[in-house]
């Protein structure tokens, strides 16, 4: 397995894509996960094409499209005065234009302890629904291991993966900041 280093663009939300590409090259990294909340908005294929081209021309690869798509909540108003959650068609269009091999998604809109069974099923069904067109384009779907989602703890993550077995679906993992080191190592 080849080890590559990279950066998630949302770490530097205030920088533009040119500045981020320069930073990644200065750091000697190989890949960038481009975020959909700032740098490559869902459905803005012109920007996605430009950012993908910029990345490749700098000798880098796009590792993922961090879409912030929330399973089971497409088109729903989050109630915070911001835009509605994006529809998956725009997310997929941007990922394709960017040249991303996978799309990072959030597993629902609440933590595993707070999500009712109906909402959990809706998120699982949506995962399988979005996996099909992504898979047809050779793009994977990766759950983000994140608090306030169905992947906020290991048992719920495993349950989600079991319920959504599909060749396009996988998961990412990151150490949860709010957990003690012993829990992180066990996870």
């Amino acid at each position: 397995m080849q080890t590559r280093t990279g950066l998630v663009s949302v770490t530097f939300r205030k920088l533009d894509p040119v500045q981020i590409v320069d930073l990644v090259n200065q750091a000697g990294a190989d890949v960038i996960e481009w975020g959909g909340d700032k740098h490559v908005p869902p459905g803005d294929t012109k920007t996605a094409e430009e950012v993908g081209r910029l990345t490749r021309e700098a000798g880098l690869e796009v590792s993922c499209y961090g879409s912030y798509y929330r399973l089971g909540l497409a088109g729903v108003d989050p109630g915070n005065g911001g835009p509605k959650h994006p529809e998956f068609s725009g997310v997929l269009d941007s990922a394709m234009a960017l040249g991303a091999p996978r799309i990072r998604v959030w597993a629902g809109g609440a933590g595993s302890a707070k999500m009712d069974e109906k909402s959990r099923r809706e998120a699982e069904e949506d995962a399988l629904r979005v996996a099909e067109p992504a898979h047809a384009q050779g793009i994977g779907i990766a759950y983000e291991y994140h608090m306030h989602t169905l992947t906020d703890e290991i048992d719920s993550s495993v349950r989600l993966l079991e319920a959504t077995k599909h060749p396009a679906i996988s998961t990412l993992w990151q150490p949860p900041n709010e957990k003690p080191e012993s829990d992180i190592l066990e996870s």
Side-chain angles (χ1 to χ4, degrees):
M1 181 174 170
Q2 178 187 4
T3 301
R4 299 180 305 165
T5 58
L7 179 135
V8 179
S9 75
V10 299
T11 304
F12 298 98
R13 281 186 174 95
K14 293 181 180 179
L15 300 182
D16 66 39
V18 171
Q19 293 170 307
I20 290 171
V21 165
D22 287 344
L23 269 180
V24 172
N25 271 327
Q26 287 174 29
D30 309 296
V31 299
I32 302 174
E33 176 189 295
W34 287 104
D37 68 333
K38 171 70 177 166
H39 300 110
V40 183
D44 184 350
T45 57
K46 182 177 179 186
T47 296
E49 287 172 356
E50 173 68 20
V51 170
R53 181 190 57 73
L54 176 70
T55 304
R56 288 181 290 280
E57 285 179 357
L60 303 168
E61 294 179 40
V62 175
S63 64
C64 189
Y65 177 47
S67 73
Y68 291 93
Y69 180 81
R70 284 193 178 261
L71 296 170
L73 296 176
V76 173
D77 183 342
N80 62 4
K84 292 181 179 181
H85 292 292
E87 297 289 341
F88 190 73
S89 59
V91 168
L92 182 57
D93 289 346
S94 287
M96 291 185 321
L98 185 59
R102 79 189 46 79
I103 300 168
R104 179 174 48 81
V105 301
W106 283 21
S112 58
K114 293 183 178 181
M115 192 176 296
D116 61 51
E117 285 302 312
K118 179 181 182 284
S119 297
R120 184 179 190 99
R121 272 191 316 278
E122 288 171 354
E124 292 167 353
E125 290 168 3
D126 196 27
L128 292 169
R129 181 188 67 80
V130 302
E132 280 302 313
H135 187 60
Q137 296 298 325
I139 297 174
I141 300 292
Y143 302 135
E144 179 172 358
Y145 193 77
H146 202 280
M147 61 185 170
H148 310 299
T149 72
L150 290 174
T151 58
D152 59 3
E153 58 90 24
I154 201 69
D155 290 337
S156 180
S157 297
V158 169
R159 181 178 168 197
L160 178 64
L161 286 165
E162 289 293 325
T164 60
K165 287 184 180 178
H166 188 282
I169 293 177
S170 64
T171 190
L172 302 174
W173 185 88
Q174 62 196 34
N177 295 328
E178 74 284 356
K179 302 273 184 171
E181 184 177 340
S182 61
D183 290 355
I184 292 169
L185 291 172
E186 182 181 336
S187 174

